[in-house]
Amino acid sequence: MKNRTAPIKPVHRHRWLVEPLEGEPALLVKSMFGCQAVYLDGRLVLCLADRKEPWRGVLVPMERENHAALIAARPSLAPHSVLPKWLYLPETADAFEADAQWLVARIRARDPRIGIVPPAARRKRSHQDFNP
């Protein structure tokens, strides 16, 4: 019998941002489009990206009407170049760590400006659903 071990997944480079939220009972972290999606109380509140730009930093899902207020508080934030409905904090920003920690503190305080309720998942149709 061969000894097979599962490959070890590397730790996400921005995983430290989730640590302050780990005591929250309604926390969920899961993979989404090559990133780590962070949900709190059923709301998508962060997307941690560690690929190549423009996917290397923290995406902040939120409604567009809240962008100006957060950008005023943290000028390193800007609409994402591919997903402009979300704000983006690039890893290359001078204040990346401080601004990312500020975002997590706002999320932990349940700032209503941050996060979106994800759309309901579509149900896949099976052959049984098809009635000619």
Side-chain angles (χ1 to χ4, degrees), residues 13-93:
R13 68 189 297 113
H14 301 306
R15 180 69 186 181
W16 58 274
L17 290 168
V18 178
E19 291 172 4
L21 303 171
E22 287 180 347
E24 299 286 345
L27 176 69
L28 175 65
V29 180
K30 65 181 187 177
S31 294
M32 180 179 80
F33 306 120
C35 299
Q36 292 292 300
V38 180
Y39 296 82
L40 187 61
D41 300 329
R43 294 171 58 87
L44 175 59
V45 293
L46 284 178
C47 190
L48 310 175
D50 67 353
R51 307 265 178 172
K52 293 181 182 177
E53 281 296 338
W55 303 104
R56 192 168 190 89
V58 177
L59 287 92
V60 186
M62 60 189 313
E63 301 299 330
R64 290 179 199 249
E65 62 263 17
N66 296 320
H67 283 200
L70 260 65
I71 292 171
R74 291 294 190 256
S76 297
L77 291 167
H80 190 268
S81 62
V82 177
L83 292 172
K85 62 184 177 180
W86 292 1
L87 292 182
Y88 179 56
L89 176 61
E91 188 178 289
T92 56

Side-chain angles (χ1 to χ4, degrees), residues 1-7:
M1 187 164 132
K2 292 184 179 181
N3 184 9
R4 294 184 185 188
T5 58

Side-chain angles (χ1 to χ4, degrees), residues 78-132:
H80 190 268
S81 62
V82 177
L83 292 172
K85 62 184 177 180
W86 292 1
L87 292 182
Y88 179 56
L89 176 61
E91 188 178 289
T92 56
D94 290 338
F96 175 76
E97 288 186 19
D99 288 349
Q101 288 172 336
W102 180 85
L103 284 167
V104 171
R106 300 301 327 135
I107 291 165
R108 197 162 179 216
R110 307 305 198 269
D111 187 324
R113 300 172 298 180
I114 300 174
I116 59 168
V117 176
R122 290 184 182 174
R123 190 175 76 112
K124 292 184 181 179
R125 291 179 55 153
S126 70
H127 292 292
Q128 297 167 344
D129 292 337
F130 183 70
N131 290 329

